[in-house]
Amino acid sequence: MWFWLALGSAVFAALTSILAKVGIEGVGSNLATAIRTMVVVIMAWGMVFITNQQDGIRSISQKSWIFLILSGLATGASWLCYYKALQIGDASKVVPIDKLSIIITLVLAFAFLHEDFTVKSAIGCILIGAGTLFMVL
């Protein structure tokens, strides 16, 4: 199931990039990000209520609150940078650079979460990095 959800995420992320590139024309990148964020907030809370998970908010630990807030701040910073880059650059160049987050995530997961960093992971990182350079240059 996780594979299909991850694939759905990739498809929707691709649509996000293309739809944003069209929609951001003539709109300030910060305003565009705020509009997108409002839609995401409404959609996310809608899913909370549809799945009847709203009572779970009381049982969230302080640690979880801190890291979810930090994650939200990182997401906001990422979106602000992404929309500005998308506004002034080509989607075909911005998106591959954005996907370098895969390499950064693997390194951070190894360093902080103590996840395995295998030869396969290293080769994948090299290929992603090389592919990104090839697409951008």
Side-chain angles (χ1 to χ4, degrees), residues 24 29-30 33 36 73-89 94-95 97-98:
I24 203 168
S29 62
N30 293 333
T33 302
R36 172 190 178 194
L73 291 170
T75 298
S78 172
W79 288 359
L80 289 168
C81 291
Y82 181 76
Y83 262 60
K84 188 62 177 177
L86 199 57
Q87 185 176 49
I88 60 180
V94 170
V95 173
I97 293 171
D98 176 65

Side-chain angles (χ1 to χ4, degrees), residues 106-130:
L106 288 173
V107 171
L108 293 174
F110 171 74
F112 295 106
L113 302 177
H114 309 292
E115 292 185 5
D116 292 338
F117 194 81
T118 63
V119 171
K120 186 168 62 169
S121 301
I123 291 170
C125 285
I126 291 167
L127 291 173
I128 290 168

